[in-house]
Amino acid sequence: MIARRLAVAAAAALLIPVAAAEADGGPLTFDVAVAGSQTVTGTYSYQPPACWSFQGSSHQTTAFHTDATSRLVLQRGPDGSLTGTTRVVLKASTERQGGLDIRQPPGCVFGLPPAPPGDCGTRVGDFDAQLAVKAGRLRLQGAPAGTFESCPLWQPTSGAAILLDADGGLNDAALDAGGTVTATAAGDLPQHAVSSVQGSSTIDTDTRSSSTVTLTPVVHHYEVQLQGWIAQPHVVDPLTPVPLPYLAVALTGGCMYITNFDSFVASTFHGDGHAGYDGTHRGLEVAQFDWDGSRITNFAEHGDFGVTSRDMVYHGPLGESWPCSQTGRATKAASAAPVGDSDFQLKLSAANPLIPLDLAPTADQELAGHIDPDGTLRLHYDADLFPSAGLRVLRDGQELGTYVINDTSCVPEPDMLGPLGLGLLTRGLVSHDVHGSVTVAPADAHALRVDRSPLCATPAPVALDVISNGGAGAIRIGTPAANGSAAAAARAHSMTLAAAQRQGLLTATARGGHVLISMPADTRLSVVADRRGAVAAISTTARTTVYGPAHTNLVVTADRTGPTVRDGSRRLAPHPADRTPPRTHARVTRHGHIATIHLTATDRSGVATTVAALGSHPVRLRRDSLRIPATSLRRARFFSIDVFGNREAPRRVAGR
């Protein structure tokens, strides 16, 4: 049998200009599918020197297709052109028919009978081929395996066979477009050969090839989440960090309207109560997109805000109490968008919907992402110190990793309540000091990283509650001198409380005779209350200490050695937090049938209010006195509440 190599030539390559920007791109990855057929027909004749000769014909048809897709990676050259090769295994089925005619002139001694045309059978097997793309041309070349040994014919297709060699519309621009690309081409190559070795032989063949190659971009679906949550079960209500009179709370929200203005209100907010990523949240932004190794497509985003709950308790003047709750859902911004072909960003800003007029700062997180051609994500984030924040990445529905980038669960719940909680909360929301990066590889699976919040590593702020009848207008902020009187220095270099807030030196909230101030622990500031009787309560992670009341100016100085409190120039010693209620004394005078009750209340820290009632009906005091019929003295009750909310048990007029 005589073996021959056949070649099929097709169209010339297209020269595709490539923009300079494309040269900067990365490789492209495709799944390869091939289907096609090849037909070879031919005739063979041999005339030896002897008296006999051979003549034959053959018809062979092969159908082939890929049973499993192959992966083709195209690298971009310096000129921007794409080049790559891959091995393709084709499932092939070949059928051949043919016959051989042996002729002998008269006088020949041989008596061989002719072999009529017949079916040589079917061959099934793999077709090993190579797919190559270069400079806009696709070439698919392979070699059929096996022979038809039982067929008495020459083997017209033994050796390599070119299945497809054409541009077929396949060019770098089409590949760069990111969609499915199909190349189809047909070839026709006749071949004629004459040999005079040991006689005269002639081979005439015609090979026809038709193939379709489909390149489908390898697309993976990504989901990137950005989430914020409060790790503590409860946190301070920034508008009611301590129990406050009803009138101080009613103007800025509440869940109950009452007619007794002598009531006090206590309030806290619900947190999410979990340290890890899973659970409820304050805000969540999700970005989803497809990545084919070249560009982001099908980008979509959605945001969600959790339900905010506030628990409030209204304490009436006669010892009664009414609990109630408020709920709301934040309406601040959450967004995500692609930036170019391989970058994206997410932003999340969650506000407290139950605090009106934007009186509380928002909780902000931002994420900038880049995806490499191989699917590796490089994420850069920025977030506030409070609350907790985290990221989660999924690929094709499988979690690659979860990253808690700011874990605030290290702050115990008691430290997030009261004046100290107000200081930590305010500092955490106004300090955008969480920065970092995360690299997420496609091969990662359920990776976990937890970063302790800087809020836990730095000294707690000085949480100061200044209680006086002058409010915020009676407070000045100054910088104490290295030596000498802090009060004198504060008076010489002072600013208003509002000016200090604008400069970012501190944060403050004024509510119902309380001015709650949060200052960095290492600052050198002084707080001056220009009112006699002012009291300072300083909260730390360990305890709350009380200073005063002052007889002149109350001066609080904070520096690296800790807070110092003075009454004018005299240094005050701290005493434990006041847990003792006031004591109210009654003196009665009579004028006929009218009795006047004169009430005098005393308390170490200061009296906030005195309440009187006849039976279950509160009555209004005038200059701490109450005029009632003398016959009603037995029904009179009274009590006082100090500046820390300590309530005296209702008392009656002695001896009546």
Side-chain angles (χ1 to χ4, degrees), residues 531-587:
R531 285 292 188 274
R532 292 188 61 182
V535 175
I538 299 177
S539 299
T540 65
T541 56
R543 58 177 181 169
T544 298
T545 53
V546 178
Y547 300 82
H551 298 291
T552 58
N553 293 331
L554 182 74
V555 182
V556 181
T557 302
D559 57 24
R560 291 179 175 83
T561 62
T564 301
V565 183
R566 298 179 184 275
D567 183 355
S569 60
R570 181 175 62 90
R571 184 166 181 170
L572 295 178
H575 48 85
D578 186 1
R579 308 296 184 192
T580 304
R583 180 74 174 177
T584 307
H585 301 275
R587 181 175 60 87

Coordinates of all heavy atoms in Angstrom, one line a residue, residues 531-587:
R531 N -21.1 77.6 85.5 CA -22.3 77.6 86.3 C -22.0 77.0 87.7 O -21.4 75.9 87.7 CB -23.5 76.8 85.6 CG -24.1 77.5 84.5 CD -24.9 78.7 84.9 NE -25.7 79.3 83.8 CZ -25.3 80.1 82.9 NH1 -24.0 80.5 83.0 NH2 -26.1 80.6 82.0
R532 N -22.5 77.6 88.7 CA -22.3 77.1 90.0 C -23.2 75.8 90.1 O -24.3 75.8 89.5 CB -22.7 78.1 91.1 CG -21.8 79.3 91.2 CD -22.1 80.1 92.4 NE -22.0 79.3 93.6 CZ -22.3 79.8 94.9 NH1 -22.8 81.0 95.0 NH2 -22.2 79.0 95.9
G533 N -22.7 74.9 90.8 CA -23.5 73.7 91.0 C -23.3 72.6 89.9 O -24.0 71.6 90.0
A534 N -22.5 72.9 89.0 CA -22.3 71.9 87.9 C -21.6 70.7 88.4 O -20.8 70.7 89.3 CB -21.4 72.5 86.8
V535 N -22.0 69.5 87.8 CA -21.5 68.2 88.2 C -20.9 67.6 87.0 O -21.5 67.7 85.9 CB -22.6 67.3 88.8 CG1 -22.1 65.9 89.1 CG2 -23.2 68.0 90.1
A536 N -19.8 66.9 87.1 CA -19.2 66.1 86.0 C -19.2 64.6 86.4 O -18.7 64.2 87.4 CB -17.8 66.6 85.8
A537 N -19.7 63.8 85.5 CA -19.6 62.4 85.6 C -18.8 61.9 84.5 O -19.1 62.1 83.3 CB -21.0 61.8 85.5
I538 N -17.6 61.2 84.8 CA -16.7 60.7 83.8 C -16.8 59.2 83.8 O -16.6 58.5 84.8 CB -15.3 61.2 84.1 CG1 -15.2 62.7 84.1 CG2 -14.3 60.6 83.1 CD1 -13.9 63.3 84.5
S539 N -17.0 58.6 82.6 CA -17.2 57.2 82.5 C -16.0 56.6 81.8 O -15.5 57.1 80.8 CB -18.5 56.9 81.7 OG -19.6 57.4 82.3
T540 N -15.5 55.5 82.3 CA -14.4 54.7 81.6 C -15.0 53.3 81.5 O -16.1 53.0 81.9 CB -13.2 54.7 82.5 OG1 -13.4 54.1 83.7 CG2 -12.7 56.1 82.7
T541 N -14.1 52.4 80.9 CA -14.5 51.0 80.8 C -14.7 50.3 82.1 O -15.4 49.3 82.2 CB -13.5 50.2 79.9 OG1 -12.2 50.4 80.6 CG2 -13.4 50.8 78.5
A542 N -14.2 50.9 83.2 CA -14.2 50.2 84.5 C -15.4 50.8 85.3 O -16.1 50.0 86.0 CB -12.9 50.3 85.2
R543 N -15.6 52.1 85.3 CA -16.6 52.6 86.2 C -16.9 54.1 85.8 O -16.3 54.6 84.9 CB -16.0 52.7 87.7 CG -14.7 53.5 87.8 CD -14.2 53.5 89.2 NE -13.0 54.3 89.3 CZ -12.4 54.7 90.4 NH1 -13.0 54.4 91.6 NH2 -11.3 55.4 90.4
T544 N -17.9 54.6 86.6 CA -18.2 56.0 86.4 C -17.9 56.7 87.7 O -18.4 56.3 88.8 CB -19.7 56.2 86.0 OG1 -19.9 55.5 84.8 CG2 -20.1 57.7 85.9
T545 N -17.2 57.8 87.6 CA -16.9 58.6 88.8 C -17.5 60.0 88.7 O -17.7 60.5 87.6 CB -15.4 58.8 89.0 OG1 -14.8 59.3 87.8 CG2 -14.7 57.4 89.4
V546 N -17.9 60.6 89.8 CA -18.6 61.9 89.8 C -17.7 62.9 90.6 O -17.1 62.6 91.6 CB -20.0 61.7 90.5 CG1 -20.7 63.0 90.6 CG2 -20.8 60.6 89.8
Y547 N -17.8 64.1 90.0 CA -17.0 65.2 90.6 C -18.0 66.4 90.8 O -18.8 66.7 89.9 CB -15.9 65.7 89.7 CG -14.8 64.7 89.5 CD1 -15.0 63.7 88.5 CD2 -13.7 64.6 90.2 CE1 -14.1 62.7 88.2 CE2 -12.7 63.7 89.9 CZ -12.9 62.7 88.9 OH -11.9 61.8 88.7
G548 N -18.0 67.1 91.9 CA -18.8 68.2 92.2 C -20.0 67.8 93.1 O -20.0 66.7 93.7
P549 N -20.9 68.7 93.2 CA -21.1 70.0 92.5 C -20.0 71.0 92.8 O -19.5 71.1 93.9 CB -22.5 70.4 92.8 CG -22.7 69.8 94.2 CD -22.0 68.5 94.2
A550 N -19.8 71.9 91.8 CA -18.7 72.9 91.9 C -19.4 74.2 92.5 O -20.6 74.5 92.3 CB -18.1 73.2 90.6
H551 N -18.6 74.9 93.3 CA -19.1 76.2 93.9 C -18.8 77.4 92.9 O -19.4 78.4 93.1 CB -18.4 76.4 95.2 CG -18.8 75.3 96.2 ND1 -20.1 75.2 96.7 CD2 -18.1 74.3 96.8 CE1 -20.1 74.2 97.6 NE2 -18.9 73.6 97.6
T552 N -17.8 77.2 92.0 CA -17.5 78.2 91.1 C -17.6 77.7 89.7 O -18.6 77.1 89.3 CB -16.1 78.8 91.3 OG1 -15.1 77.8 91.3 CG2 -16.0 79.5 92.7
N553 N -16.5 77.7 88.9 CA -16.4 77.1 87.6 C -15.9 75.7 87.7 O -15.0 75.4 88.4 CB -15.5 77.9 86.6 CG -16.0 79.3 86.3 OD1 -17.2 79.5 86.3 ND2 -15.1 80.2 86.1
L554 N -16.6 74.8 87.0 CA -16.2 73.4 86.9 C -15.3 73.2 85.7 O -15.7 73.5 84.6 CB -17.4 72.5 86.8 CG -17.0 71.0 86.8 CD1 -16.7 70.5 88.2 CD2 -18.2 70.2 86.3
V555 N -14.0 72.8 85.9 CA -13.0 72.7 84.9 C -12.6 71.2 84.8 O -12.0 70.7 85.8 CB -11.8 73.6 85.1 CG1 -10.8 73.5 83.9 CG2 -12.3 75.1 85.3
V556 N -12.8 70.6 83.6 CA -12.4 69.2 83.4 C -11.2 69.3 82.4 O -11.4 69.8 81.2 CB -13.5 68.3 82.9 CG1 -13.0 66.9 82.7 CG2 -14.7 68.4 83.9
T557 N -10.1 68.7 82.7 CA -8.9 68.6 81.8 C -8.6 67.2 81.5 O -8.6 66.3 82.4 CB -7.7 69.3 82.5 OG1 -8.0 70.6 82.8 CG2 -6.5 69.3 81.5
A558 N -8.5 66.9 80.2 CA -8.1 65.5 79.7 C -6.8 65.6 79.1 O -6.5 66.4 78.2 CB -9.2 65.0 78.8
D559 N -5.8 64.7 79.5 CA -4.6 64.6 78.9 C -4.1 63.1 79.0 O -4.9 62.2 79.4 CB -3.5 65.5 79.4 CG -3.3 65.4 80.9 OD1 -3.6 64.3 81.4 OD2 -2.9 66.4 81.6
R560 N -2.9 62.8 78.7 CA -2.4 61.4 78.7 C -2.4 60.8 80.1 O -2.3 59.6 80.2 CB -1.0 61.4 78.1 CG -1.0 61.6 76.6 CD 0.4 61.6 76.0 NE 0.5 61.7 74.6 CZ 0.4 62.9 74.0 NH1 0.4 64.0 74.7 NH2 0.5 63.0 72.6
T561 N -2.3 61.6 81.1 CA -2.3 61.1 82.5 C -3.7 60.8 83.0 O -3.9 60.3 84.1 CB -1.6 62.1 83.4 OG1 -2.4 63.3 83.4 CG2 -0.2 62.3 82.9
G562 N -4.7 61.2 82.2 CA -6.1 61.0 82.7 C -6.8 62.3 82.9 O -6.2 63.4 82.9
P563 N -8.1 62.2 83.3 CA -8.9 63.4 83.5 C -8.6 64.0 84.9 O -8.3 63.3 85.8 CB -10.3 63.0 83.4 CG -10.3 61.5 83.7 CD -9.0 61.0 83.3
T564 N -8.6 65.4 84.9 CA -8.5 66.1 86.2 C -9.6 67.1 86.3 O -10.0 67.7 85.3 CB -7.1 66.9 86.2 OG1 -6.1 65.9 86.1 CG2 -7.0 67.6 87.5
V565 N -10.3 67.2 87.4 CA -11.4 68.1 87.6 C -11.1 69.1 88.7 O -10.6 68.7 89.8 CB -12.7 67.2 88.0 CG1 -13.9 68.2 88.1 CG2 -12.9 66.2 86.9
R566 N -11.4 70.3 88.5 CA -11.2 71.4 89.4 C -12.5 72.2 89.6 O -13.3 72.4 88.7 CB -10.0 72.3 89.0 CG -8.7 71.6 88.8 CD -7.6 72.5 88.3 NE -6.4 71.8 88.1 CZ -5.5 71.6 89.0 NH1 -5.7 72.0 90.3 NH2 -4.4 70.9 88.7
D567 N -12.6 72.7 90.9 CA -13.6 73.7 91.2 C -12.9 75.0 91.3 O -12.3 75.4 92.3 CB -14.2 73.3 92.5 CG -15.4 74.3 92.9 OD1 -15.6 75.3 92.2 OD2 -16.0 74.0 94.0
G568 N -12.9 75.8 90.1 CA -12.0 76.9 90.0 C -10.6 76.5 90.0 O -10.2 75.8 89.0
S569 N -9.8 76.8 91.0 CA -8.4 76.3 91.0 C -8.2 75.2 92.0 O -7.1 74.6 92.1 CB -7.5 77.5 91.4 OG -7.9 78.0 92.7
R570 N -9.3 74.8 92.7 CA -9.2 73.7 93.7 C -9.5 72.4 93.0 O -10.5 72.2 92.4 CB -10.1 74.0 94.8 CG -10.1 72.9 95.9 CD -11.0 73.3 97.1 NE -12.4 73.4 96.7 CZ -13.2 72.4 96.7 NH1 -12.9 71.2 97.1 NH2 -14.5 72.6 96.3
R571 N -8.5 71.4 93.2 CA -8.7 70.1 92.6 C -9.8 69.3 93.3 O -9.7 69.3 94.6 CB -7.4 69.4 92.5 CG -7.5 68.0 91.8 CD -6.2 67.5 91.5 NE -6.2 66.2 90.8 CZ -5.2 65.5 90.3 NH1 -4.0 66.1 90.3 NH2 -5.4 64.4 89.7
L572 N -10.7 68.7 92.6 CA -11.7 67.9 93.3 C -11.4 66.4 93.3 O -10.8 65.9 92.3 CB -13.1 68.1 92.5 CG -13.7 69.5 92.5 CD1 -15.0 69.5 91.7 CD2 -14.0 69.9 94.0
A573 N -11.8 65.8 94.3 CA -11.6 64.3 94.4 C -12.8 63.6 93.9 O -13.9 64.1 94.1 CB -11.3 63.9 95.9
P574 N -12.6 62.5 93.2 CA -13.8 61.8 92.7 C -14.5 61.1 93.8 O -13.9 60.7 94.8 CB -13.2 60.9 91.7 CG -11.8 60.6 92.2 CD -11.3 61.9 92.9
H575 N -15.8 60.8 93.5 CA -16.5 59.9 94.4 C -17.3 59.0 93.5 O -17.5 59.3 92.3 CB -17.4 60.7 95.4 CG -18.3 61.8 94.7 ND1 -19.5 61.6 94.2 CD2 -18.0 63.1 94.6 CE1 -20.0 62.7 93.7 NE2 -19.1 63.7 94.0
P576 N -17.7 57.9 94.0 CA -18.4 56.9 93.1 C -19.7 57.5 92.5 O -20.2 58.5 92.9 CB -18.7 55.7 94.0 CG -17.8 55.9 95.2 CD -17.6 57.4 95.3
A577 N -20.1 56.8 91.4 CA -21.3 57.3 90.8 C -22.5 57.3 91.8 O -22.6 56.5 92.6 CB -21.7 56.3 89.6
D578 N -23.2 58.4 91.7 CA -24.3 58.6 92.6 C -25.5 57.6 92.3 O -26.1 57.7 91.3 CB -24.8 60.0 92.5 CG -25.8 60.4 93.5 OD1 -26.2 59.6 94.3 OD2 -26.3 61.6 93.5
R579 N -25.7 56.7 93.2 CA -26.9 55.8 93.1 C -27.9 56.1 94.2 O -28.9 55.4 94.3 CB -26.4 54.4 93.3 CG -25.3 53.9 92.4 CD -25.6 54.0 91.0 NE -24.6 53.5 90.1 CZ -24.6 53.6 88.8 NH1 -25.6 54.3 88.2 NH2 -23.6 53.2 88.1
T580 N -27.7 57.2 95.0 CA -28.6 57.5 96.1 C -29.6 58.5 95.6 O -29.3 59.6 95.0 CB -27.8 58.1 97.2 OG1 -26.8 57.2 97.6 CG2 -28.7 58.4 98.4
P581 N -30.9 58.3 95.8 CA -31.9 59.2 95.4 C -31.9 60.5 96.3 O -31.4 60.5 97.4 CB -33.2 58.5 95.6 CG -32.9 57.4 96.6 CD -31.5 57.1 96.4
P582 N -32.6 61.5 95.9 CA -32.6 62.8 96.7 C -33.5 62.5 97.9 O -34.2 61.5 98.1 CB -33.2 63.8 95.8 CG -33.2 63.2 94.4 CD -33.2 61.7 94.6
R583 N -33.4 63.5 98.8 CA -34.3 63.5 100.0 C -35.1 64.8 100.0 O -34.5 65.9 99.9 CB -33.4 63.4 101.3 CG -34.2 63.4 102.6 CD -34.9 62.1 102.8 NE -35.5 62.0 104.1 CZ -36.2 61.0 104.5 NH1 -36.3 59.9 103.7 NH2 -36.8 61.0 105.7
T584 N -36.4 64.7 100.1 CA -37.3 65.8 100.0 C -38.0 66.0 101.4 O -38.5 65.1 102.0 CB -38.4 65.6 98.9 OG1 -37.8 65.3 97.7 CG2 -39.2 66.9 98.8
H585 N -37.9 67.3 101.9 CA -38.4 67.6 103.2 C -39.6 68.6 102.9 O -39.6 69.4 102.1 CB -37.4 68.3 104.1 CG -36.2 67.5 104.3 ND1 -36.2 66.6 105.4 CD2 -35.0 67.4 103.7 CE1 -35.0 65.9 105.4 NE2 -34.3 66.5 104.4
A586 N -40.7 68.4 103.7 CA -41.9 69.2 103.6 C -42.2 70.0 104.9 O -42.0 69.5 106.0 CB -43.1 68.3 103.3
R587 N -42.5 71.3 104.6 CA -42.9 72.2 105.7 C -44.3 72.7 105.4 O -44.5 73.2 104.2 CB -41.9 73.3 105.9 CG -42.2 74.3 107.0 CD -41.1 75.3 107.2 NE -40.9 76.1 106.0 CZ -41.5 77.2 105.7 NH1 -42.5 77.7 106.5 NH2 -41.3 77.8 104.6

